[in-house]
Amino acid sequence: MSTPPSSSPAASVLDLAPVVPVVVVDELADAVPLARALVAGGLPAIEVTLRTPVALDAIRAIAGEVPGAVVGAGTVITAEQVGEVVAAGARFLVSPGWTDGLVDAMRASGVPFLPGVSTTSEVVALLERGVREMKFFPAEAAGGTAYLKALAAPLPQARFCPTGGIGPASAPEYLALPNVGCVGGSWMLPKDAVAGRDWGRVEALAREAAALSAGGTSR
Ligand SMILES: O=C(O)C(=O)C[C@H](O)[C@H](O)COP(=O)(O)O
């Protein structure tokens, strides 16, 4: 899988990068060095979750100051947030779940988006709405690779970014599935490394994650 240069508009979140780091930014000052470490390690697509008060500013800072990063917003759960994050520079949108109103707002934004699903009926409902790419969340708790494999038989047109509980040991098995385009996870951002501003360690873990996803399979 190739990663487009950051200037290319992406039609799909799943084609940005095989591993998408899911980031919780507590300190705004950490946003740019953290993103630089991820990009330097080979993970350009970065999902900043809207779980902290500084998340919007973090998206703005990364979008403006980190060449090579493709910053997106995660935990987007309202239509209002869609407008805010796109104005801040988010280039993709991710949600742990979905509603009709949220999907309408995400589609109207013009940037690629991944609503979250964890059941077959949700997949069918989104396919009915013309959405074929989804976050599978919480991946490990909702059935993991066995569930995704089972979905691929009746619903091969749906493609997923599994996220939730995935680590370096399990990521390759997900990435080998035909209906998985990328995986999301926070394992390359251990809490103690971020708290200690150990960006070298983050970069090294990002590099391992990028290599994991590139190797070992015929994708
Ligand atoms: O914040 C959101 O919108 C979420 O849906 C949750 C995140 O995707 C997971 O928390 C990441 O999973 P871990 O790799 O297990 O940390």
Side-chain angles (χ1 to χ4, degrees):
M1 176 184 281
S2 68
T3 302
S6 63
S7 55
S8 311
S12 151
V13 183
L14 300 187
D15 295 331
L16 285 172
V19 174
V20 177
V22 178
V23 182
V24 179
V25 180
D26 289 307
E27 300 286 340
L28 181 57
D30 292 343
V32 166
L34 183 155
R36 285 198 177 120
L38 292 171
V39 172
L43 300 180
I46 299 170
E47 176 186 332
V48 176
T49 58
L50 296 184
R51 295 200 224 164
T52 64
V54 301
L56 257 191
D57 287 333
I59 290 169
R60 197 173 291 114
I62 295 168
E65 297 175 43
V66 186
V70 181
V71 65
T75 334
V76 177
I77 57 167
T78 69
E80 189 186 6
Q81 288 173 330
V82 170
E84 287 171 354
V85 299
V86 172
R91 291 164 61 182
F92 63 92
L93 310 169
V94 185
S95 176
W98 66 284
T99 66
D100 285 328
L102 184 61
V103 168
D104 288 344
M106 286 181 156
R107 182 176 270 139
S109 75
V111 301
F113 61 95
L114 292 179
V117 298
S118 62
T119 67
T120 310
S121 292
E122 290 178 281
V123 178
V124 171
L126 284 174
L127 288 173
E128 188 178 81
R129 301 205 48 173
V131 177
R132 296 159 72 115
E133 301 196 337
M134 308 161 201
K135 170 171 175 164
F136 177 55
F137 177 79
E140 286 286 284
T145 53
Y147 196 96
L148 288 169
K149 252 181 234 169
L151 279 181
L155 302 169
Q157 64 274 56
R159 292 176 71 227
F160 301 93
C161 176
T163 306
I166 298 176
S170 55
E173 198 186 331
Y174 281 96
L175 288 165
L177 298 176
N179 56 351
V180 168
C182 64
V183 300
S186 61
W187 76 85
M188 66 300 287
L189 297 154
K191 274 193 183 355
D192 60 329
V194 175
R197 305 203 156 87
D198 187 350
W199 308 129
R201 183 160 163 230
V202 170
E203 181 179 332
L205 289 167
R207 186 162 289 117
E208 282 171 27
L212 266 186
S213 58
T217 73
S218 56
R219 315 170 69 238

